[in-house]
Amino acid sequence: MKEKWVVPVLGVMALTGAAQEPLQVTVRADRPAHEIPKTLYGIFFEDINFAADGGLYPERIVNRGFDWRTKEPEGWSGEWRGEAMGRISLQGAWPLHPNTFQYLRVECYAPGDGAGVANGGFGGIAVTQGAQYDLSFYARRHADFAGGLTVRLETKDRQALAEYRIAKDGWTNRERQGEGGLPPEWAQYTAVFTPAQTVADARLVILLDAKGTVDLELVSLFPRDTFNGRTNGLRKDLAQMLKDLRPATLRFPGGCLVEGHDFDTMYWWKRTVGPLEGRAVNANIWGYWQTHGLGYYEYFCLAEDIGAEPLPILAAGLTCQFRAPKAVPLDALQPFIQDALDLIEFANGAPGTPWGRVRAEMGHPAPFNLNYIGIGNENWDHVFLDRYAIIAQAVKAAHPEIKIIGSAGASPEGAMFRLGWTRNTELKTDLVDEHFYQSPDWFFRQVNRYDAYDRNGPKVYAGEYACHTPDRKNNLLSALAEAAVMTGFERNSDVVETTAYAPLFNKVGNTQWDINLIWFDNTRVFGTPSYYVQKLFMHHLPDVLLPTETAGLTEASLPPSGTIGLHTWNTAAEFKDITVTGKGGETLYRFDPEKKLEGWGPASKGNWRIEDGAIVQTDESVS
């Protein structure tokens, strides 16, 4: 135990007209309580707000593998220069890899000044003068093509920043033996681009110079200067923001993203490891496609590089309960059990084991030392708890050394929350995941939340939390409210084992969730007030709790204040007989249909109106 003892003290004084007694706080250094776990403060990553592709994962080319299941090759456009003519199309025969079977075919009818395709990246390709970027792509020319191919990184007015060319006699594709009439084998072509200028809105162009057909696959432009210098690594400034926090745990890959809309879009970790050409894309639950270039191996490496314990979350045989959930029958959960067991082997197994070998072949023979695994995300009721029990007990029997995290539901209180805690306690779950996105007032009232929790039951994992002000903005008030509840985490850290603010990242202009810890665009990054509160607490984690005693602290009644709000999630609804009462039963607000929407602020989304004495919202597409 270290000699230095530090204790958090939250002082609260109500401002009234009456004279206040002096506030006296006594720190009992003679009565040290429990040691504070080093795991107390962690972070949470979910691919929401375009946090991964085009963000933390710094690939510059959007839809690089042409695998997004769209009618047209989204992110790519035909590029016909001068008198060039032709067409582009998505194909699937004789793919590079069966997991990523779509690729792009360019058919040139007249080469003009160049015939092909262009890609503008994720809102523009940002490159720095003198920096190095690895260009990589697979291509194959058909028998009818006898020309060359040029790849250009250029400004929006077609000024070249870097260029690579395959001469007409420079193709390295091998013909398929004994398979006449079929295209040759795929060949990979690579180059290093060193841009001549710094620009934020470059684009990549691929041009043919003769008639005929060429197929393209997995076109990548990737910075060499990644975080910790890793191949297929992470955007340096964003990852550094995470390391600078000094988090103890890293939860990944989500969130609701883990469960998906259905079993097709559920996050299956095995699809995200191994060579890039074999990683299947997924339709992100937040409305866009994931390449899985940032996969489970990269998450584990990130945890290692920032000094955090990995904390992966797996689905519990149940799709997202907010979105027409589907549940696997209780007698059909073995694939989910095996998925968890294989993940533990991937993380901790020897290189001679099947999944340990996959990890070793990716470049990490040593184990990742996984200690935690979460089963289920923000799930509730018996439909989840019955499935969780089967999976958790099977995993615990095989790996008693792994701490298993269950769920207390989507709300931090209420009947489902209490049921979650009851069942998890009966099951002897190691940690129970609580989530709360609440108002500043709620946060300030939760400073003592964990005072009365059972010290002999499961530990708490506050796995997602953030203070939401009425305008849903990151501001100083929300950061102060979070700081208040964090003092409660520390004081009760004998029961609260680890925590995580959520979500982590938001790309400016690509927001699905308004309140986030870190904001960025293609060239910049900045932390919110909440980021610096988290950093303050992580950098000054106490070693041991010293009890405090207070005298002269009084609580004065404040007049009621605040706002009420109405909200829908992908549904239509009506609200009527709206009444707000005080603790004494007095009416603080009652909705009067005759006054229409007087006093209500403008709606940010949806179609709201008064109808038959109720407030109705009729747009089912907004959330």
Side-chain angles (χ1 to χ4, degrees), residues 5-21:
W5 290 348
V6 184
V7 64
V9 178
L10 176 67
V12 181
M13 294 185 66
L15 301 179
T16 68
Q20 295 289 315
E21 292 292 328

Side-chain angles (χ1 to χ4, degrees), residues 528-592:
T528 63
S530 296
Y531 172 86
Y532 290 99
V533 163
Q534 294 288 322
K535 187 175 182 179
L536 176 69
F537 276 75
M538 292 185 195
H539 279 233
H540 300 282
L541 184 68
D543 299 313
V544 69
L545 180 74
L546 300 181
T548 60
E549 299 170 356
T550 60
L553 181 63
T554 60
E555 181 178 347
S557 297
L558 297 175
S561 63
T563 60
I564 59 174
L566 305 179
H567 180 74
T568 63
W569 189 284
N570 293 338
T571 188
E574 69 173 37
F575 305 84
K576 62 191 305 183
D577 301 327
I578 303 170
T579 303
V580 180
T581 58
K583 289 183 178 180
E586 69 277 17
T587 299
L588 304 177
Y589 170 81
R590 176 174 285 118
F591 171 63
D592 182 355

Side-chain angles (χ1 to χ4, degrees), residues 196-243:
Q197 299 178 39
T198 296
V199 297
D201 56 356
R203 63 184 197 146
L204 191 80
V205 179
I206 303 175
L207 299 171
L208 310 186
D209 62 9
K211 297 178 184 179
T213 304
V214 171
D215 296 332
L216 300 171
E217 173 66 298
L218 199 63
V219 181
S220 172
L221 186 67
F222 209 91
R224 281 202 166 180
D225 189 17
T226 61
F227 184 63
N228 271 21
R230 288 190 182 272
T231 302
N232 196 51
L234 304 180
R235 180 169 152 179
K236 201 170 182 179
D237 57 343
L238 300 192
Q240 190 63 48
M241 289 285 285
L242 305 184
K243 185 174 182 178

Side-chain angles (χ1 to χ4, degrees), residues 38 76 92 97 147 219 240 292-293 397 403 444 464 494 545 578:
K38 300 305 180 187
W76 295 87
H97 194 284
V219 181
Q240 190 63 48
H292 290 146
K403 292 185 177 182
F444 286 124
E464 293 184 33
D494 56 332
L545 180 74
I578 303 170

Side-chain angles (χ1 to χ4, degrees), residues 414-441:
M416 289 297 102
F417 176 80
R418 292 191 294 273
L419 174 64
W421 264 100
T422 298
R423 288 287 304 275
N424 275 289
T425 301
E426 292 169 352
L427 292 166
K428 299 186 182 335
T429 294
D430 295 297
L431 292 90
V432 177
D433 188 8
E434 297 187 358
H435 293 181
F436 34 93
Y437 300 105
Q438 302 289 336
S439 68
D441 179 65

